[in-house]
């Protein structure tokens, strides 16, 4: 006690707003459940495992810690698993996480001799008692940064329900024997609540479901509400009512009278069909979706260094799949594990290591690669008196909470619990790593993915221009016309037409997907393409030019992004149902750019006439509405500008017809957005340390918004030293490839990130990685030997260069 009293100055009572870490060590993935428990610094409120608390004492001199130790309670082995009744996690009726129960003990420990005093105890100084109570009662910082429960969106009352028009046309609906009025379907039937017509539901991607007659009827008549027959029972709230204008399942408070209008006595009806929510629940319960998760296969669990799973924090599979592949590369494993110890990273970290990217990447790397957390769970067998808590041989995995909170802090989407695009996350992650290693290029592992791209533009005058940029990924269009199984596809279309005419549907095993060779996708990237309305500084007018693209350097790791997500007519996002035939070895040597050819005459420097025109800035209302539909900000700005801000629909139509433009992703040039820029905003950006020309360019590309302009500058690090306009001709003002990795063009496939679902913002991501000569599946915390890696179903492909 005397020792404790002599150190009371190193004890603080936390405020209600103080961040307290008490569930996880800030240097490792040790928890109160780990051997040795967790030590919480009673001055900084950072937590440390037993192997690391001594380092904190050495660095800070803080001697007083609250020690928290949890021990598993014994649970009967035959405890039944509850069947979910709600599409939710962490709430009553939701999926049973089978969370274990623990007994928790506390003590106050004084370093360096680890003198232990029991807590609670009236003998402890009041300040220590108050501090310890506050720590134990507080919501931990880790918990604040995650959502404890997730529930599918609850149905809202339809805006069309209270004043629904119903047509008295003499229709009386019988209690059974229903059939679609347009085809022979007798299931998945929907009763339109305006005119009483019974029609089949939508067709699924695999041909199952319905024949779209209900939705087609809405498009013709505009009658808004329909109820799914077979879901109507005495419990009217459970009936499946769909609103076509609101494009969602809804509540109809007047459903009883709307049904009675057509002679339906709901109290006597029996449930015969799943509701939309129940079908979704059923699909989520049977989570082994198709080949990507190798469902139906007995996947052998793998344990040890490099085989640690990542716990899903709630729609964080995009992060898990991406980081597993990233840390399988030599550049990242060397930088943050092999060549950097946890202690070295901690010594170099600021006072709060939870906000230091170098520290948290080192923690994640050691967690994934050390094997410390990848061990088979213990099972107690042949002992009736000892209960077991584990019924499978799967590992628990590690939760990347601190890393996710830190890497997402500057990004509102990634800091949410919504599903995200793995590609966007990968690019954001590399950008953050590059910034964290600014000025230390030799330490920056992100550079192993970086390469140069050069566009060669041949003007009709015979003169040429070269544009260069750096990128981390090669984004490839998928030329469906290059499919190698065209005959099978033609037979499929004929069969589908025949079945449709007969009112029948395709079965899943009859579906044939196009097969496109990866070589065709790469050839499409390099192929010559026309640029219309190209302003030639040689001819002083617009003309048609030809553009070809090539790589100026070959990275250590080449990432190919397959553009599987496209926009259909009617603003509907669609995922291409296609297989990509990807070989284990590729050679892209032919894609190297040859640069300025001897004897070529460059287009003269000059400013297009459009530079001086009065084209407006993008209307931010139009832009924000388009962005909310899932389009990228820069695409939406271009759409608004090129339609003179005439409206959302006009901008959308422009966008849908220009998605494949070769320059759709290029920053907006002065010619595209030449409105005047507020000089005060330019001055504000200059005060941040940016060049004036770059500030003007960023503000024009961002509609005059300072925050977006700042983001644009950071998102386009080469913009200040490269001319992004098609009129560029000075090859000296392009990004410098010096320091970028380069070598031969032969690559081996080492990783695949695959996506299941209709959109990058929903569904599930899984990684398959080539490790120690075999393919391994990383499906969140599940790690196992891959039997049939889905090489033809990837969204991102990671290749490692074979030669120097």
């Amino acid at each position: 006690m005397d020792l404790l009293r002599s150190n009371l100055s190193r004890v603080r009572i936390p405020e209600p707003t103080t961040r307290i870490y008490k569930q996880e060590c800030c240097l490792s993935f040790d928890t109160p459940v780990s051997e040795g428990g967790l030590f919480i610094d009673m001055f900084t409120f950072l937590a440390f495992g037993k192997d690391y608390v001594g380092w904190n004492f050495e660095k800070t001199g803080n001697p007083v810690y609250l020690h928290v130790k949890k021990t598993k309670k014994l649970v009967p082995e035959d405890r039944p698993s509850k069947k979910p009744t709600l599409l939710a996690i962490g709430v009553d009726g939701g999926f049973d996480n089978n969370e274990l129960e623990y007994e928790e003990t506390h003590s106050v420990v004084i370093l360096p001799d680890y003198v232990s005093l029991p807590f609670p105890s009236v003998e402890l100084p009041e300040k220590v008692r108050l501090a310890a109570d506050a720590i134990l009662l507080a919501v931990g910082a880790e918990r604040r940064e995650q959502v404890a429960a997730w529930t599918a969106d609850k149905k809202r009352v339809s805006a069309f329900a209270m004043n629904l028009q119903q047509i008295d046309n003499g229709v009386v609906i019988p209690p059974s024997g229903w059939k679609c009025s347009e085809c022979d379907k007798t299931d998945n039937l929907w009763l339109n609540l305006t005119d009483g017509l019974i029609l089949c539901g939508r067709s699924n991607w695999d041909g199952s479901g319905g024949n779209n007659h209900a939705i087609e009827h809405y498009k013709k008549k505009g009658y808004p509400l329909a109820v799914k027959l077979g879901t109507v029972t005495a419990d009217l709230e459970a009936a499946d009512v769909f609103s076509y204008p609101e494009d969602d399942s809804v509540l109809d408070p007047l459903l009883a009278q709307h049904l009675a209008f057509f002679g339906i006595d709901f109290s006597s009806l029996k449930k015969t069909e799943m509701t939309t929510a129940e079908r979704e629940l059923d699909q989520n319960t049977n989570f082994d979706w198709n080949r990507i998760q190798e469902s139906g296969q007995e996947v052998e669990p793998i344990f040890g260094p490099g085989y640690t799973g990542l716990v899903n924090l709630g729609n964080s599979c995009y992060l898990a799949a991406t980081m597993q592949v990233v840390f399988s590369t030599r550049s990242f494993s060397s930088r943050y594990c092999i060549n950097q110890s946890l202690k070295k990273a901690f010594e170099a970290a600021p006072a709060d290591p939870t906000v230091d990217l170098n520290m948290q990447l080192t923690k994640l790397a050691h967690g994934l690669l050390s094997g410390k957390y990848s061990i088979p769970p213990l099972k107690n067998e042949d002992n009736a008196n000892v209960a077991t808590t584990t019924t499978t041989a799967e590992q628990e995995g590690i939760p990347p909470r601190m890393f996710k909170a830190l890497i997402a802090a500057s990004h509102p989407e990634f800091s949410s619990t919504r599903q995200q695009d793995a590609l966007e996350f990968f690019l954001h992650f590399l950008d953050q790593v590059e910034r964290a290693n600014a000025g230390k290029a030799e330490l920056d592992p992100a550079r192993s993915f970086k390469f140069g791209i050069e566009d060669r533009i041949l003007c009709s005058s015979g003169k040429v221009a070269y544009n260069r940029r750096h990128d981390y990924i090669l984004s490839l269009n998928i030329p469906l016309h290059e499919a190698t199984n065209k005959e099978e596809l033609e037979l499929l279309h004929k069969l589908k037409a025949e079945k449709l005419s007969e009112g029948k549907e395709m079965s899943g095993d009859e579906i044939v997907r196009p097969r496109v060779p990866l070589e065709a996708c790469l050839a499409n990237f390099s192929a010559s393409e026309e640029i219309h309305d190209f302003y030639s500084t040689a001819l002083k007018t617009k003309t048609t030019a030809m553009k070809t693209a090539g790589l100026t350097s070959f990275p250590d790791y080449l990432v190919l992004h397959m553009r599987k997500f496209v926009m259909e007519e009617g603003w509907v996002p669609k995922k291409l149902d296609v297989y990509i035939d990807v070989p284990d070895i590729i050679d892209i040597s032919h894609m190297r750019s040859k640069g300025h050819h001897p004897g070529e005459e460059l287009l003269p420097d000059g400013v297009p006439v459009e530079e001086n025109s009065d084209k407006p800035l993008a209307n931010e209302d139009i832009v924000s509405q388009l962005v909310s539909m899932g389009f990228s900000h820069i695409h939406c700005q271009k759409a608004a500008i090129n339609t003179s801000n005439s409206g959302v629909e006009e901008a959308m139509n422009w966008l849908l017809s220009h998605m494949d433009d070769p320059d759709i992703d290029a920053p907006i040039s002065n010619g595209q957005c030449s409105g005047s820029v507020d000089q005060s905003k330019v001055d504000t950006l200059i005060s941040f340390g940016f060049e004036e020309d770059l500030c003007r360019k960023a503000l024009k590309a961002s509609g005059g918004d300072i925050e977006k302009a700042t983001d644009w500058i950071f998102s386009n690090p080469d913009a200040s030293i490269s001319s992004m306009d098609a009129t560029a001709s000075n090859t000296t003002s392009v990004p410098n490839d010096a320091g970028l990795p380069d070598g031969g063009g032969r690559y081996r496939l080492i990783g695949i990130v695959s996506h299941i679902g209709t959109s990058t913002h929903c569904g599930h991501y899984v990684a398959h990685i080539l490790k120690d000569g075999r393919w391994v599946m990383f499906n969140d915390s599940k790690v196992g030997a891959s039997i049939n890696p889905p090489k033809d179903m990837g969204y991102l492909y990671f290749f490692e260069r074979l030669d120097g």
Side-chain angles (χ1 to χ4, degrees):
M1 287 297 176
D2 291 340
L3 180 61
L4 179 57
R5 289 190 181 93
S6 68
N7 284 293
L8 283 181
S9 63
R10 308 310 293 266
V11 173
R12 285 196 302 147
I13 300 173
E15 300 291 334
T17 55
T18 303
R19 296 169 77 215
I20 300 171
Y21 290 91
K22 60 179 187 177
Q23 274 125 21
E24 182 179 294
C25 171
C26 59
L27 309 185
S28 72
F29 291 92
D30 289 355
T31 70
V33 181
S34 303
E35 182 187 355
L38 212 56
F39 295 80
I40 303 165
D41 186 328
M42 296 187 74
F43 190 81
T44 65
F45 309 111
L46 295 169
F48 300 88
K50 71 178 180 67
D51 294 333
Y52 314 101
V53 65
W55 299 354
N56 185 60
F57 175 69
E58 291 174 14
K59 181 175 179 177
T60 65
N62 294 340
V64 187
Y65 297 83
L66 179 63
H67 183 233
V68 181
K69 181 76 178 81
K70 290 184 178 181
T71 308
K72 292 177 184 175
K73 287 183 179 178
L74 298 181
V75 179
E77 184 176 5
D78 58 354
R79 182 179 71 169
S81 180
K82 293 181 294 182
K83 180 176 174 62
T85 57
L86 180 69
L87 189 56
I89 297 170
V91 298
D92 289 340
F95 288 94
D96 184 4
N97 290 343
N98 289 321
E99 289 191 1
L100 303 172
E101 296 179 10
Y102 297 93
E103 292 179 353
E104 189 168 320
T105 58
H106 311 115
S107 59
V108 175
V109 175
I110 309 166
L111 265 59
D113 296 325
Y114 292 85
V115 175
S116 181
L117 302 170
F119 179 86
S121 170
V122 293
E123 295 181 12
L124 291 170
E126 184 183 20
K127 185 178 183 182
V128 174
R129 294 202 308 271
L130 291 173
D133 282 334
I135 291 171
L136 294 174
L137 288 172
V139 176
E142 304 97 334
R143 195 67 171 174
R144 286 182 182 178
E145 287 159 358
Q146 72 177 105
V147 175
W150 170 85
T151 308
D153 291 338
K154 293 180 178 174
K155 290 192 285 188
R156 297 170 297 166
V157 173
S158 172
F160 300 91
M162 305 310 288
N163 299 303
L164 182 71
Q165 175 194 8
Q166 291 193 284
I167 300 172
D168 187 3
N169 51 14
V171 170
V172 176
I173 305 299
S176 61
W178 307 305
K179 186 177 85 64
C180 176
S181 13
E182 296 290 333
C183 67
D184 293 330
K185 283 212 55 87
T186 57
D187 63 336
N188 192 18
L189 298 177
W190 294 78
L191 169 71
N192 191 287
L193 291 174
T194 294
D195 61 5
L197 212 57
I198 297 174
L199 296 158
C200 62
R202 306 187 198 218
S203 174
N204 297 327
W205 67 270
D206 60 356
S208 64
N211 294 317
N212 296 321
H213 288 136
I215 182 74
E216 288 170 5
H217 182 63
Y218 161 69
K219 289 177 180 176
K220 289 177 188 172
K221 298 291 188 178
Y223 302 152
L225 300 182
V227 63
K228 188 174 185 179
L229 293 173
T231 70
V232 179
T233 66
D235 180 12
L236 272 186
E237 282 193 10
D240 203 355
V241 180
F242 192 85
S243 169
Y244 293 105
E246 293 162 297
D247 194 27
D248 205 355
S249 292
V250 295
L251 292 174
D252 177 4
L254 303 180
L255 183 58
Q257 71 182 59
H258 291 155
L259 292 170
F261 187 86
F262 297 111
I264 297 176
D265 177 11
F266 63 87
S267 62
S268 62
L269 294 180
K270 303 294 183 187
K271 185 173 169 61
T272 59
E273 287 259 16
M274 281 188 183
T275 65
T276 306
E278 287 170 333
R279 190 171 297 279
E280 187 179 355
L281 176 64
D282 189 55
Q283 290 169 347
N284 279 271
T285 306
N286 301 309
F287 195 59
D288 288 333
W289 292 332
N290 67 41
R291 259 199 328 119
I292 288 176
Q293 295 194 130
E294 304 192 45
S295 56
Q297 311 270 12
E298 282 296 325
V299 177
E300 173 200 350
I302 305 178
F303 305 94
Y307 297 102
T308 306
L310 285 168
V311 174
N312 195 318
L313 304 176
N315 287 327
S316 64
C317 55
Y318 66 92
L319 178 150
T322 304
M323 298 313 297
Q324 290 286 10
V325 184
V326 164
F327 277 110
S328 72
T329 64
R330 289 194 307 273
S331 53
F332 272 85
S333 62
S334 297
R335 170 69 174 87
Y336 295 109
C337 184
I338 298 169
N339 297 333
Q340 180 161 261
S341 67
L342 285 168
K343 188 170 186 181
K344 181 180 175 184
F346 178 55
E347 288 171 348
D352 185 353
T354 67
V355 297
D356 181 55
L357 186 60
N358 178 60
M359 179 68 250
Q360 292 307 312
L361 281 174
T362 306
K363 168 181 170 175
L364 184 60
H366 282 259
L368 289 174
L369 304 176
S370 68
K372 179 179 179 181
Y373 305 98
S374 180
I375 53 176
L378 296 174
K379 289 183 69 174
N380 297 312
E381 298 177 355
D382 303 323
N383 188 345
N385 297 320
V386 181
T388 181
T389 57
T390 306
T391 56
T392 69
E394 292 180 13
Q395 58 175 281
E396 292 182 7
I398 55 176
R401 292 191 197 98
M402 288 186 190
F403 167 71
K404 182 178 185 291
L406 179 57
I407 200 70
S410 59
H411 197 290
E413 277 301 310
F414 297 136
S415 57
S416 75
T417 53
R418 293 184 290 273
Q419 184 62 280
Q420 304 297 334
D421 184 353
L423 171 67
E424 289 183 16
F425 175 76
F426 175 66
L427 293 175
H428 173 73
F429 168 72
L430 291 185
D431 177 62
Q432 296 295 303
V433 171
E434 185 176 33
R435 290 195 206 183
N437 289 281
K440 300 174 287 186
E442 71 284 355
L443 294 178
D444 182 9
R447 292 181 76 81
S448 63
F449 291 97
K450 203 169 192 179
F451 58 92
I453 298 177
E454 182 173 73
D455 294 328
R456 178 179 182 267
I457 300 169
L458 175 62
C459 172
S460 58
S461 66
K463 298 178 181 179
V464 296
Y466 287 92
N467 286 332
R468 280 191 179 186
R469 62 187 185 278
H470 287 160
D471 213 330
Y472 289 116
I473 55 107
L474 199 58
S475 189
L476 302 176
N477 288 318
I478 302 173
L480 293 176
H481 63 277
E482 296 283 356
T484 55
N485 57 340
K486 291 179 182 175
E487 292 182 4
E488 292 177 70
L489 293 168
E490 288 173 7
L491 288 173
L492 172 72
H493 289 311
K494 288 180 182 177
L495 179 63
K496 193 171 184 178
E498 290 171 5
K499 292 211 169 191
L500 190 61
S501 65
E502 297 170 4
K504 298 178 181 177
E505 63 184 49
M506 299 283 289
S507 63
D509 56 3
E510 292 177 300
I511 299 297
V512 179
R513 295 180 179 84
R515 282 197 167 275
V516 178
L518 179 64
E519 291 87 344
C521 303
L522 292 168
N524 182 267
F525 174 83
S526 301
S528 181
E529 57 183 307
E530 289 187 347
I531 302 178
H532 300 286
D533 295 327
F534 173 80
Y535 181 84
S536 169
T537 52
L539 302 175
K540 307 293 186 188
T541 186
K542 286 185 177 180
T543 184
T544 298
M546 300 300 294
K547 190 195 88 166
T548 52
L551 275 61
T552 59
S553 63
F554 292 155
D556 292 337
Y557 294 95
L558 176 69
V559 182
L560 301 182
H561 162 234
M562 310 312 298
R563 290 186 176 177
K564 289 190 172 183
F565 297 94
V566 296
M567 295 301 293
E568 281 193 316
E569 191 175 350
W571 313 356
V572 180
K574 176 188 176 184
K575 181 179 179 181
L576 295 180
D577 204 12
V578 60
Y579 288 134
I580 308 295
D581 285 327
V582 179
D584 291 330
I585 305 291
I586 62 171
D587 191 338
I588 61 167
S589 301
H590 61 284
M591 295 178 67
R592 189 179 285 275
S593 174
K594 297 179 175 59
H596 185 201
H597 302 177
E600 277 184 337
E601 189 175 350
L602 296 173
L603 280 167
D605 289 329
V607 180
V609 173
E610 288 84 355
E611 297 274 337
N612 301 316
S613 68
D614 293 323
K615 287 190 179 179
L617 294 169
N619 181 300
E620 280 303 312
D621 289 337
I622 295 174
V623 172
S624 62
Q625 288 185 63
L626 293 180
V627 168
S628 70
M629 298 175 190
F631 296 100
S632 78
H633 193 267
I634 195 168
H635 294 181
C636 300
Q637 284 185 309
K638 289 186 176 184
I641 290 165
N642 282 282
T643 54
S644 301
N645 293 321
S646 50
V648 174
E649 186 171 351
E650 291 81 358
M652 173 63 75
N653 291 332
W654 183 92
L655 191 53
L656 292 174
S657 60
H658 289 80
M659 288 297 289
D660 294 325
D661 285 5
D663 60 347
I664 189 67
D665 293 313
I668 297 174
S669 67
N670 292 345
Q672 289 173 298
C673 184
S674 58
S676 60
V677 175
D678 188 333
Q679 184 59 41
S680 65
K681 294 181 178 179
V682 175
D683 294 339
T684 300
L685 286 178
I686 291 174
S687 70
F688 295 162
F690 303 123
E691 298 172 5
E692 181 171 356
D693 289 345
L694 181 61
C695 297
R696 291 184 179 280
K697 190 172 188 177
L699 286 165
K700 288 179 179 179
S702 308
D705 186 294
I706 288 181
E707 187 175 346
K708 290 173 183 173
T710 306
D711 288 341
W712 186 91
I713 292 172
F714 283 126
S715 300
N716 296 272
D718 302 319
S720 59
I721 54 173
S722 65
S723 174
M724 305 301 289
D725 297 330
T727 54
S729 60
N730 186 350
T731 55
T732 61
S733 63
V734 296
N736 188 355
D737 287 350
L740 289 187
D742 199 7
R746 293 182 70 247
Y747 287 85
R748 173 188 286 118
L749 180 66
I750 62 159
I752 309 164
V753 172
S754 306
H755 175 265
I756 309 163
T758 55
S759 159
T760 52
H761 295 285
C762 68
H764 188 60
Y765 288 96
V766 176
H768 285 76
I769 304 172
L770 184 64
K771 276 181 177 274
D772 302 324
R774 64 176 172 180
W775 283 93
V776 179
M777 179 177 69
F778 291 83
N779 184 2
D780 288 334
S781 57
K782 184 178 180 181
V783 180
S786 174
I787 298 167
N788 184 23
K791 295 180 183 178
D792 51 5
M793 300 178 74
Y795 176 55
L796 301 177
Y797 290 96
F798 290 74
F799 289 85
E800 181 178 43
R801 195 173 59 229
L802 284 173
D803 39 30

